[in-house]
Amino acid sequence: MRILGIESSCDDTSVALLDCSDKGCFILSEKTASQIDVHKKYGGVVPEIAGRMHAEKIVPLIEAVLENQPKPDAVAVTSGPGLITGLLVGVEAARTLSYITDLPLVSTNHIEGHIYSTQIKNYDTVILNRVKDPSRSDKRDSSSAPQNDKTDLQFPALCLVVSGGHTELIIMKDHGKYKLLGATIDDAAGECFDKGAKLIGLPYPGGPQISKLALTGNTEAIKFPRPMLNSKDYNFSFSGLKTSALYWLRDNKESLNINDFCASFEQAIIDVLVAKTMTAAAEYKPKTIILCGGVSANKKLRETLQSEITANFPNTRFQLPELKYSMDNGAMIAVAGYHHAKQKDFTSWKKIKADPNWKLAK
Ligand code: KG4
Ligand code: ZN
């Protein structure tokens, strides 16, 4: 089944066509238009500008992705959560496409998309693996893909979703079955990275900047708090960390070493995320642990979680998106959409609605 995925919930307009079957979802074609350079000037995403830029880009991107490709069998679009100005553009484009072509439509949750970003497969990677195993043909279709490789999703899966708008621990019992263990009660982890970066004059988005500077810094130079580290639940809070960084800068401006600041700040966020995930893993004994969302691009977070899982839960699989699929993308929406399309979980173009506050799990 070929699925066209459309994503426009924040500052990336992204469209992808995937070939999906029981053997996995493979990229046929994909295009993304990032708006970061424009929003950078304002220190964050400006919803009205985002909406306009999505509107300019979405049709040319759909056209470019479908060029010289076989017709899709379904269209999956992010209908929430996210910025209403962006969601409306994606939903209206998908609705129109469905109306004109009669293709069935999947209303897709952005967070579910991030979870499925770990399942995106690339023909090139499969072909590369085959070079090591010449007995396999290198036909470019999913029928020649390996079955039950280490990338298939085994349940229950514990998902740490960390992005600019979300910090959630979710247990996924099966496709489409989610239970929320905990979430941030204030700022999201990505938002905390972005606000911390702003305090020291780094441009938006701050996460990649902080992690780069942190590489040569001392993680123990500044004793930042680890908010809610010992709370007996799976909730998070990051606004106190930002405030503590603000006061530290006010009182220690002269002695600021930017690398040490970044390393200490990053470590405080990572310590909380990893500790809560490990506690949840001990309680729920998942077969898979998933790290996803924009903050999953953070190298130190990836490595720390990986080594904690290897040390404490050696039989649990750790799944991450490929680095480029940590960020918002249309491919992850296509994969999530595929699992709904398989169940014929479609929404008519007459009924689909953007919902900026759509909760995946309760
Ligand atoms: O998932 P995403 O692309 O958009 C949302 O749905 O929010 O996530 C964007 C967030 C931003 O807050 C950005 O600073 C953060 O992901 N981010 C990072 C890194 N790369 C992106 N945070 C920490 N370290 C990184 N390397
Ligand atoms: Zn996202």
Side-chain angles (χ1 to χ4, degrees):
M1 188 190 293
R2 283 179 300 273
I3 315 275
L4 184 74
I6 300 176
E7 158 63 35
S8 61
S9 69
C10 189
D11 56 357
D12 287 307
T13 323
S14 185
V15 181
L17 180 66
L18 273 76
D19 177 17
C20 295
S21 71
D22 288 345
K23 288 170 185 159
C25 280
F26 291 78
I27 305 267
L28 292 173
S29 166
E30 60 183 326
K31 292 252 182 279
T32 297
S34 168
Q35 306 175 357
I36 281 185
D37 284 344
V38 177
H39 297 295
K40 223 178 213 162
K41 295 178 208 147
Y42 304 93
V45 180
V46 183
E48 190 188 316
I49 297 177
R52 284 186 194 201
M53 293 192 74
H54 285 305
E56 275 169 27
K57 296 284 181 195
I58 201 137
V59 174
L61 283 188
I62 293 172
E63 201 178 20
V65 164
L66 292 179
E67 198 182 350
N68 298 324
Q69 294 292 341
K71 205 176 162 224
D73 301 296
V75 178
V77 63
T78 306
S79 344
L83 294 175
I84 187 68
T85 52
L87 294 170
L88 280 173
V89 173
V91 167
E92 289 311 310
R95 184 205 305 281
T96 311
L97 201 58
S98 170
Y99 170 69
I100 295 171
T101 60
D102 276 337
L103 287 175
L105 204 52
V106 183
S107 176
T108 309
N109 184 290
H110 182 78
I111 300 301
E112 188 170 40
H114 274 303
I115 291 172
Y116 279 106
S117 68
T118 54
Q119 309 301 310
I120 300 166
K121 294 182 185 174
N122 221 304
Y123 283 122
D124 296 337
T125 320
V126 171
I127 289 166
L128 247 174
N129 289 337
R130 265 192 226 122
V131 173
K132 295 176 204 148
D133 180 2
S135 63
R136 294 185 141 134
S137 82
D138 70 347
K139 233 172 78 201
R140 254 179 119 81
D141 68 40
S142 56
S143 63
S144 59
Q147 222 171 355
N148 292 326
D149 57 43
K150 284 210 168 120
T151 60
D152 70 339
L153 184 49
Q154 294 198 352
F155 300 112
L158 173 65
C159 313
L160 175 63
V161 186
V162 270
S163 72
H166 295 267
T167 303
E168 287 168 13
L169 265 172
I170 292 171
I171 276 284
M172 184 179 186
K173 291 182 191 148
D174 202 342
H175 295 290
K177 293 207 170 104
Y178 302 95
K179 182 176 173 239
L180 181 69
L181 303 185
T184 182
I185 57 168
D186 43 54
D187 291 351
E191 192 178 0
C192 184
F193 271 110
D194 295 339
K195 288 180 174 170
K198 208 170 181 178
L199 292 176
I200 48 172
L202 298 173
Y204 172 85
Q209 311 277 338
I210 290 202
S211 60
K212 205 164 136 202
L213 291 165
L215 286 174
T216 51
N218 175 2
T219 54
E220 287 170 22
I222 307 169
K223 301 268 171 279
F224 285 128
R226 270 66 173 154
M228 295 182 81
L229 185 67
N230 298 314
S231 68
K232 299 246 171 296
D233 55 25
Y234 294 113
N235 289 332
F236 302 86
S237 165
F238 290 106
S239 68
L241 177 56
K242 175 203 64 194
T243 311
S244 153
L246 179 72
Y247 290 150
W248 188 91
L249 285 166
R250 185 194 61 190
D251 300 337
N252 299 277
K253 220 169 199 146
E254 284 73 45
S255 59
L256 170 68
N257 172 316
I258 203 155
N259 301 88
D260 286 351
F261 177 93
C262 289
S264 304
F265 192 76
E266 178 184 64
Q267 193 63 50
I269 297 175
I270 290 175
D271 280 354
V272 180
L273 293 175
V274 171
K276 296 252 169 180
T277 308
M278 289 300 100
T279 312
E283 183 175 349
Y284 290 91
K285 300 179 180 51
K287 289 210 170 113
T288 311
I289 295 178
I290 283 177
L291 169 65
C292 62
V295 181
S296 72
N298 187 283
K299 193 164 173 268
K300 184 138 204 202
L301 175 60
R302 289 175 167 238
E303 290 173 355
T304 314
L305 207 48
Q306 172 75 77
S307 63
E308 286 295 311
I309 292 166
T310 308
N312 299 298
F313 307 101
N315 298 323
T316 304
R317 287 175 176 194
F318 181 41
Q319 294 191 342
L320 286 156
E322 245 180 69
L323 211 51
K324 75 170 190 172
Y325 298 120
S326 282
M327 302 303 159
D328 293 347
N329 63 85
M332 69 186 198
I333 301 305
V335 184
Y338 165 65
H339 288 281
H340 288 278
K342 258 185 19 177
Q343 309 299 324
K344 305 232 174 314
D345 179 13
F346 297 119
T347 304
S348 144
W349 63 265
K350 289 180 193 160
K351 294 208 170 136
I352 191 164
K353 251 190 175 164
D355 176 0
N357 301 312
W358 183 3
K359 301 238 180 303
L360 175 67
K362 284 181 190 133

